[in-house]
Amino acid sequence: MDVDQKPDAAKGANVLRDLSKFGQSPWLDFIQRSYTADGSLKKLVDEDGLRGVTSNPAIFEKAMGYGTDYDAQIKDLLAKEILSPGELYEKLAITDIKATAKVMHPVFVETKGLDGYVSLEVSPYLAFETKATADEARRLWAAVGEENLMIKIPGTPEGIPAFQEVTSEGISVNVTLLFSLEAYKNVLEAYIKGLEIRHAAGKDISKIASVASFFVSRIDGKIDGAIDRRVKEGDKDAEALKALRGKVAIANAKVAYQHYLEVMKSERWKKLAAAGANPQRLLWASTGTKDKTFSDVLYVEELIGEDTVNTIPPATFDAFRDHGKLRASLTENVDDAFKVLEQQARLGLDLDGVTKTLVTEGCASFCDAFDQLLGAVANKQATFLGSRLIEQKADLPADLKAAADAVLEDWRKTGKGRKLWAKDASVWTGGDEAKWLKWLDIVDERLAHVAELEAFASEVKAKGFSDVLLLGMGGSSLGPEVIAETFGQIAGFPKLHVLDSTDPQQVKTFENAVDLKNTLFIVSSKSGGTLEPNILKAYFFAAAEKALGSAPGKHFVAVTDPGSHMEDVAKKDGFWKIFYGEKQIGGRFSVLSNFGLVPAAAAGLDVRAFLESALRSVKEASASTPPAHNGAMQLGAILGAAATKFGRDKVTIVASPAIYDLGAWLEQLLAESTGKKGTGLIPIDDETLGAPGVYGKDRVFAYLRLTGEACPKQEKAIAALIAAGEPVVTIDLADKLDIAQAFFHWEYATAVAGSVLEIDPFDQPDVEFSKIETKKLTTAFNETGKLPPETPFATSGAFEFFADDVNAKALGQGDALAILKAHFGRVKAGDYVGVLAYIERDLKTREWIQAVRLNLRDQLKVATAAEFGPRFLHSTGQAYKGGPDSGVFLQITADDHADLAVPGERFTFGVVKAAQARGDFDVLSERGRRALRVHIKGPLEAGLAELATVIGKAV
Ligand SMILES: O=P(O)(O)OC[C@H]1O[C@](O)(CO)[C@@H](O)[C@@H]1O
C-alpha cells in the first residue's frame, strides 16, 4: 500500500485523520509481518490517525501463504517443538498480533481504551459451535495476553451465546460476519446481557470493549447482481430495480445504526454506562468497493457517523486518503434508508434471504481461506522437516485418484477430520466408536510420562536379564514383534522374543531359546482374559519357578488394562511390575501405548525418540491439517475408495527387508478393523512381488520403503507395477525409528477407510465367535477328557479332509488331488486364497507356505494369504469370517508329535490348538465360506512336502 502520502498530509489536510472529527475511527483491515516490522503500520498511525487493526483468516492466508516473511520463525519453532499446522499457524499469528498490539498500544492509551485494538479471529471451523468458540476465545485471549486485543467471534446463532459468555468474563470481542439487522440486534442484546451478568457479579465492566462488524459491500454484491439479472431478463420493475443499485447495503447499515442510537438511549443501557460500560460500536466491514462503476470510496464516505469504526482495506484506505470527502453521512436521509429497505422487500429482492446466504458463504469462505492457510503452513513445515517426516506418494489410475479426491473433498467440506479428532461417532456408524479413540491422544500422553518407561528400561538393564519373553496375542504381540524384528538385540539390553502361539512345539522352541533363570517375562493382554496369554503365563511361570528354584514373580511384568483378570493374577503372583493400558484403545490400536512401549523399553529402544517420531505423524494428521496435506487421510481415502468403487480390496503390503515385519502388524490393523459386515480390506502381506501379469484387478499396493535400505528387487518390481498402471502408494521412512510414525499413520488411515466403508473400525464381532466355539471345545475336553469326535469326508494317504456338508458335497470323494483340484477350481477372479496352517511357525515352514502361496497366486492369478494359526485368529481371522465372501480357505492341521501340559488344566497346548482350529473352521463354515481342512497324519515335514506337490498339480 502507498504509505508515501502527499507531503502535506502530516501537516493536517488528511481526511483519514479527520474522520475522528466526525466520531469515526479508521481501522485497517490488513496485517502483515513485514508491514508491522518495517514501520509502515506505525506510519499510518502517526500520519493517518489509524486507530485499530483487524485480521481474519483470509488476511492471514495472504500474509503467511506467500513469501518468506515467516520462514525464520517457522524454522526456529520447529527446531524446538513438534507442532501441527494449526499450532504452528497460531504461534505465527500470535507473534503478529502481539507485535501489532504493541504498535497500536499508544492509541489505546491515548484514547483511554476506546481505540488501539487489534483483532484475532477464532478458528472459522468453530463458527457453528458455541462451547468450542467460547473455549477458543478464552484460550486465544490468554495466549496473546494484550489488553488491546479483541477476539473476533462470528455472529452466527451459535457464536452469539459464546460472545455473551466471554463478554461476561471480561474479554473484549469483535463480533464479525453480521449482515442482517436481526443478527445485529441479537448481538447488541448479548453484549448488554454479558455486561449485566458481569456487573451483577460485582466485577468491573469498564475495561471491556466491543465492536459489531456489520458487513456492507457484500450485500450490494448480491442484491445488485440479482437486479442486473432481472433487468436483463426484462423485468417489469426494471426501472425501480435499477434505482436500488448500490443503495441497499448502505440503507441496511444506516438502519442498523438507528437501532444502536435507540438502544443507547434506553434506561437499561444508561445503567450500565453509569457503571463504566463502553458502548459496543458498529464497525463497518467489507467496505472495499467491488463494483467498478461505483466510487472506490463509496462505503467509507456514506457511512461516517459518531461512535463508529470503519475497518478499511488497504487500497480503499489509500483511495480515501487521496480523494475521500468528509460529511456526517450516516444520519443523512435516514427515512430514505427505511424506504430503500421497504422497496427492496416489495420488489422481492429478499434481503433477509441474502443476509442468511452471506453468513453461510462468509463462514465457508473463511473456512476455505483457513484450509488454504493451514495448507501453506503445512507445506512450509514439510519442507523444513524434510525426511524427518515420512513421505507418501501415490501412483494411481486416474479414476481411482478422482474417487479418492472426491472422498477428501467431502472430508474437507464437512470437516470430518476435525470430527474424527472431536471423537464424533457420526464419522463412522454413530455407534460406540467414541469409546475407542484414545489412540488419538496416547502419544502425547505417553510422552508426558516417558520418564517412567525410561526408568523401567534402566532397571531392566541393571538387572542384567539376558532375554525378554513376551507372551500375548494379536494387538498385544504384533507391535512388540515388529520392534523385536526391526531393531534386533540392542547392545546392553536383553533380547526380545515374542511368543503368540499354542503350538506345543513352538512353545518348546521358545522355552529352549531363552535362559529361564535370566529372562524377564512380559505377560501382555488388554482384556486379561484371552486364553493364550493366560495359559502361556501359567506354563512359563511354572517353568521359571522350576529353573529359579523359587517364586519367579520378580521376573514377571504384566501389561494389561486396569481391573482385568490379568491384573489380579499379577498381584497374586507378586509380579515385579504392572503396567496399565488404556481401556479406550483396542488391541490393534495399542502399539503406541504401554503394549508397545513396555517391551520396547525393556529391549532398550529409545522410547522418547520413538514417541517423538510418532508425534510427527500425529501432528501431520491433526484436526487442523487440511486433507490435501494429510497423508494418512489420503491413504485412508485411497484404500476406502479402491475397495468400495473398484473392487480393489486386497491391500498388498510390501516392505523393505529391514522393516518387513510391519506387515504382520498392519495385517491385524486392516483386517480386524475393516473386515466385517461383508466388506473390508483384505491385507496381503509378504507375498513376494511378481510381474504385473500375475495380478488381477483387485489390488492396491502399499510399499513401505526404508529409504537407505531399499531392496533393488522390490524397487524394480514396484516400478514395473507403476508402469503397468497398478495403484501403488509408496511410504518412505528415513529411519527405522520412523516405524513409530508409520504406526500412527496407518491407524489414522484405517479409521478413515473404515468411515468410507461405512463400518465400525473398532469392533471385531466375528473373532469373538470363534473364541466362543473354541471355548465350547476346551470346556468339553475338560469335562470328558477328549474333544468331540469328528469324521473326515475323505481320506487320501497321509491326508484326512474335513469340511461342512455343503463344501464336502462340492468337493467330492476323490483322492487328495481331486479334492484340492475341486477346491481351488472354485477360485475366480477377485477372490483370494487363504492358506491357514496350524503348525509351528519357523524358517522352514515359512518358506514352505511362501512357496505354496506363490504357486497358487501365479497359477490362479489371485491374491494369497499365508497364515499361521492360532496367531492369525487375532489378526486377519476377523476379515476371513466377517469380510467379503471372496476367500477360499485351505486350513492345515497336523498331528502333534509332542504335547505340553498346561499347569492347572486338564487340556494341553495341543488340545487348545486343535480346538482353536476347529472353532475357526466351524465359524468359516457357518458363514458359508469355501473352506477345506486337510489334516496331516504322520511326520509333518513329509506331509507338507506331499501337500505342496499335490497342490502344485491341482492348480
Ligand atoms: O490383549 P488381549 O485382550 O489379550 O487380546 C488379544 C487380541 O485378541 C483380540 O481381542 C481378538 O483377536 C484382538 O483384538 C486383540 O489384540
Side-chain angles (χ1 to χ4, degrees):
M1 95 185 263
D2 173 20
V3 286
D4 296 324
Q5 45 207 262
K6 293 175 200 157
D8 63 343
K11 293 184 209 133
N14 184 317
V15 284
L16 281 165
R17 214 175 40 223
D18 288 350
L19 274 172
S20 63
K21 292 187 184 150
F22 293 80
Q24 186 169 71
S25 305
W27 289 11
L28 184 70
D29 201 21
F30 176 76
I31 223 167
Q32 172 121 50
R33 175 160 297 190
S34 52
Y35 196 78
T36 307
D38 70 10
S40 302
L41 184 70
K42 178 149 185 333
K43 200 166 174 189
L44 298 195
V45 174
D46 294 344
E47 299 182 359
D48 294 327
L50 178 74
R51 299 177 78 166
V53 172
T54 51
S55 69
N56 65 35
I59 288 171
F60 270 121
E61 195 262 321
K62 286 195 194 87
M64 289 179 195
Y66 311 88
T68 52
D69 266 18
Y70 295 82
D71 289 6
Q73 193 187 1
I74 291 177
K75 221 178 199 164
D76 194 42
L77 287 168
L78 292 178
K80 288 189 231 121
E81 257 183 291
I82 302 166
L83 298 166
S84 70
E87 288 163 340
L88 184 55
Y89 148 75
E90 206 171 287
K91 284 189 188 287
L92 301 174
I94 287 174
T95 307
D96 282 356
I97 294 288
K98 278 173 98 67
T100 309
K102 241 174 213 93
V103 174
M104 300 312 297
H105 198 257
V107 179
F108 178 82
V109 173
E110 195 190 312
T111 60
K112 300 200 172 55
L114 175 70
D115 279 313
Y117 291 94
V118 53
S119 298
L120 173 63
E121 187 152 346
V122 295
S123 161
Y125 300 140
L126 309 175
F128 304 106
E129 293 172 46
T130 302
K131 186 179 174 306
T133 296
D135 287 347
E136 174 125 321
R138 290 182 193 108
R139 201 173 54 73
L140 291 176
W141 179 257
V144 174
E146 303 287 347
E147 58 181 343
N148 56 332
L149 170 72
M150 274 190 182
I151 299 292
K152 235 171 158 178
I153 292 179
T156 55
E158 294 80 4
I160 294 174
F163 159 58
Q164 180 179 312
E165 205 175 307
V166 301
T167 299
S168 75
E169 293 165 17
I171 294 177
S172 293
V173 176
N174 172 345
V175 186
T176 185
L177 282 177
L178 298 174
F179 297 92
S180 74
L181 187 59
E182 192 202 340
Y184 168 57
K185 283 181 177 172
N186 292 337
V187 165
L188 188 49
E189 173 63 23
Y191 181 59
I192 291 172
K193 271 210 187 117
L195 293 180
E196 285 172 344
I197 291 167
R198 190 171 171 83
H199 184 50
K203 294 187 183 144
D204 181 18
I205 53 173
S206 70
K207 302 274 182 314
I208 302 171
S210 185
V211 290
S213 290
F214 203 83
F215 282 51
V216 194
S217 75
R218 287 190 202 180
I219 292 187
D220 278 349
K222 280 261 181 258
I223 295 274
D224 294 352
I227 291 175
D228 293 349
R229 264 192 310 281
R230 284 175 54 180
V231 170
K232 204 169 161 207
E233 285 159 9
D235 195 289
K236 67 175 177 28
D237 294 315
E239 285 315 306
L241 283 165
K242 274 200 268 182
L244 288 186
R245 269 191 117 263
K247 296 256 158 38
V248 176
I250 291 166
N252 195 37
K254 284 185 173 179
V255 170
Y257 185 65
Q258 289 304 308
H259 176 72
Y260 165 80
L261 294 177
E262 273 307 297
V263 172
M264 291 299 103
K265 278 190 260 167
S266 70
E267 284 310 311
R268 196 175 162 206
W269 176 255
K270 281 182 187 155
K271 243 197 207 160
L272 286 171
N278 301 300
Q280 183 193 45
R281 287 180 296 170
L282 267 160
L283 172 149
W284 311 126
S286 160
T287 54
T289 304
K290 275 104 194 168
D291 186 329
K292 298 277 175 269
T293 65
F294 298 155
S295 152
D296 61 356
V297 291
L298 178 73
Y299 301 104
V300 185
E301 282 183 349
E302 297 305 318
L303 296 170
I304 301 173
E306 279 287 320
D307 295 334
T308 59
V309 179
N310 195 326
T311 193
I312 309 172
T316 312
F317 203 87
D318 286 342
F320 194 75
R321 183 197 301 114
D322 183 68
H323 50 265
K325 299 263 177 321
L326 295 166
R327 65 180 214 280
S329 49
L330 192 56
T331 44
E332 264 177 11
N333 307 325
V334 172
D335 288 350
D336 286 350
F338 280 98
K339 277 191 203 128
V340 165
L341 295 191
E342 277 164 30
Q343 180 75 337
Q344 71 74 27
R346 198 182 61 73
L347 291 168
L349 284 169
D350 188 21
L351 179 59
D352 287 348
V354 164
T355 56
K356 279 198 187 83
T357 310
L358 283 168
V359 174
T360 316
E361 283 182 4
C363 291
S365 83
F366 278 163
C367 285
D368 289 349
F370 211 46
D371 282 349
Q372 294 280 330
L373 163 60
L374 294 171
V377 171
N379 250 341
K380 296 215 172 209
Q381 192 174 14
T383 311
F384 288 125
L385 287 175
S387 65
R388 275 181 291 163
L389 262 186
I390 57 172
E391 205 177 301
Q392 182 174 290
K393 175 173 87 73
D395 290 284
L396 305 176
D399 50 1
L400 173 53
K401 178 168 183 341
D405 285 349
V407 170
L408 291 173
E409 181 55 11
D410 170 54
W411 276 61
R412 191 190 73 81
K413 276 230 166 89
T414 56
K416 268 198 200 143
R418 293 187 292 279
K419 285 188 191 161
L420 188 154
W421 279 97
K423 306 197 169 106
D424 178 343
S426 74
V427 171
W428 299 280
T429 67
D432 76 346
E433 289 92 343
K435 285 195 198 149
W436 297 105
L437 292 168
K438 279 267 171 78
W439 54 272
L440 287 166
D441 315 313
I442 198 68
V443 175
D444 266 320
E445 194 274 345
R446 285 294 80 198
L447 261 175
H449 295 93
V450 74
E452 286 165 29
L453 290 160
E454 288 172 335
F456 171 60
S458 307
E459 285 177 274
V460 170
K461 190 176 188 184
K463 283 180 190 274
F465 290 114
S466 58
D467 302 276
V468 173
L469 178 55
L470 182 134
L471 312 169
M473 298 305 290
S476 298
S477 63
L478 293 167
E481 185 187 272
V482 179
I483 290 165
E485 291 294 304
T486 307
F487 298 101
Q489 186 165 5
I490 296 168
F493 283 87
K495 180 172 164 49
L496 174 60
H497 312 256
V498 178
L499 174 57
D500 58 356
S501 179
T502 51
D503 180 90
Q505 190 51 53
Q506 184 107 56
V507 176
K508 200 71 202 160
T509 303
F510 274 73
E511 185 179 347
N512 294 338
V514 300
D515 173 2
L516 286 175
K517 285 206 288 295
N518 203 16
T519 293
L520 174 67
F521 297 89
I522 301 180
V523 189
S524 182
S525 174
K526 280 191 80 61
S527 62
T530 306
L531 178 67
E532 295 93 328
N534 274 287
I535 60 176
L536 288 168
K537 179 260 155 192
Y539 182 82
F540 282 100
F541 201 79
E545 184 159 28
K546 201 162 155 220
L548 289 162
S550 61
K554 293 280 161 275
H555 288 218
F556 277 73
V557 159
V559 187
T560 191
D561 284 353
S564 80
H565 164 70
M566 190 62 75
E567 181 187 4
D568 290 346
V569 170
K571 282 184 175 155
K572 188 174 84 30
D573 285 338
F575 276 26
W576 176 30
K577 282 178 193 291
I578 303 175
F579 288 96
Y580 291 101
E582 169 52 68
K583 272 192 166 171
Q584 294 196 8
I585 300 179
R588 56 190 176 274
F589 286 82
S590 69
V591 63
L592 296 168
S593 76
N594 277 344
F595 286 90
L597 298 175
V598 167
L605 191 70
D606 181 346
V607 277
R608 188 186 293 268
F610 186 72
L611 282 167
E612 281 173 354
S613 172
L615 192 61
R616 286 198 276 278
S617 247
V618 175
K619 299 293 182 181
E620 201 204 2
S622 79
S624 65
T625 311
H629 299 267
N630 185 339
M633 191 189 283
Q634 287 163 16
L635 178 58
I638 293 167
L639 298 180
T644 53
K645 298 251 181 337
F646 302 94
R648 289 188 177 272
D649 59 356
K650 318 293 184 310
V651 182
T652 305
I653 305 158
V654 186
S656 294
I659 52 169
Y660 86 96
D661 202 49
L662 260 178
W665 172 83
L666 203 41
E667 270 191 317
Q668 183 199 24
L669 180 72
L670 292 173
E672 245 189 19
S673 302
T674 67
K676 57 197 69 161
K677 299 207 159 136
T679 184
L681 305 173
I682 305 296
I684 303 296
D685 180 36
D686 204 21
E687 195 191 51
T688 314
L689 282 172
V694 303
Y695 300 107
K697 291 282 161 220
D698 59 345
R699 309 261 192 160
V700 171
F701 294 86
Y703 178 29
L704 294 145
R705 176 167 60 188
L706 188 61
T707 0
E709 295 179 43
C711 158
K713 266 196 188 155
Q714 284 178 342
E715 288 280 284
K716 220 171 136 201
I718 287 284
L721 288 169
I722 294 172
E726 289 290 332
V728 178
V729 180
T730 305
I731 299 172
D732 277 319
L733 283 67
D735 191 288
K736 278 186 185 175
L737 214 56
D738 292 334
I739 59 168
Q741 276 188 69
F743 284 139
F744 188 85
H745 190 82
W746 279 95
E747 286 172 357
Y748 186 97
T750 303
V752 174
S755 165
V756 180
L757 290 161
E758 297 178 10
I759 45 96
D760 173 354
F762 309 109
D763 67 359
Q764 54 281 332
D766 302 280
V767 174
E768 309 299 338
F769 275 112
S770 37
K771 282 189 184 171
I772 293 166
E773 291 308 309
T774 301
K775 180 98 187 135
K776 278 187 207 159
L777 293 166
T778 48
T779 309
F781 187 94
N782 269 355
E783 281 161 10
T784 64
K786 51 185 184 312
L787 288 171
E790 48 177 356
T791 322
F793 72 88
T795 308
S796 173
F799 305 131
E800 287 178 343
F801 291 99
F802 297 86
D804 65 285
D805 291 348
V806 179
N807 274 297
K809 208 163 151 217
L811 300 176
Q813 299 278 318
D815 62 4
L817 179 60
I819 290 169
L820 287 165
K821 208 171 183 144
H823 188 49
F824 292 121
R826 301 192 285 184
V827 175
K828 45 185 198 329
D831 283 342
Y832 66 97
V833 172
V835 182
L836 316 174
Y838 285 75
I839 54 176
E840 183 179 9
R841 179 172 174 266
D842 59 20
L843 212 58
K844 263 197 187 149
T845 54
R846 283 166 72 181
E847 275 169 15
W848 178 86
I849 207 167
Q850 192 66 358
V852 167
R853 62 119 52 126
L854 289 178
N855 188 29
L856 287 167
R857 179 196 67 186
D858 294 347
Q859 298 308 319
L860 302 172
K861 306 266 183 295
V862 293
T864 58
E867 303 289 343
F868 287 89
R871 151 188 170 105
F872 81 89
L873 291 179
H874 298 272
S875 171
T876 48
Q878 165 63 39
Y880 299 162
K881 299 174 186 85
D885 185 11
S886 48
V888 176
F889 302 101
L890 179 66
Q891 192 194 66
I892 300 166
T893 55
D895 289 346
D896 285 319
H897 296 291
D899 202 351
L900 289 177
V902 177
E905 301 288 353
R906 197 168 170 190
F907 54 68
T908 60
F909 277 99
V911 167
V912 169
K913 188 182 67 160
Q916 287 177 309
R918 280 170 67 175
D920 173 34
F921 198 77
D922 288 349
V923 180
L924 287 171
S925 306
E926 189 260 332
R927 296 291 150 88
R929 306 279 139 138
R930 290 160 284 176
L932 169 67
R933 174 178 154 213
V934 55
H935 184 82
I936 301 173
K937 301 198 72 63
L940 181 62
E941 208 171 321
L944 288 175
E946 168 71 7
L947 185 57
T949 310
V950 185
I951 292 173
K953 287 185 189 151
V955 294

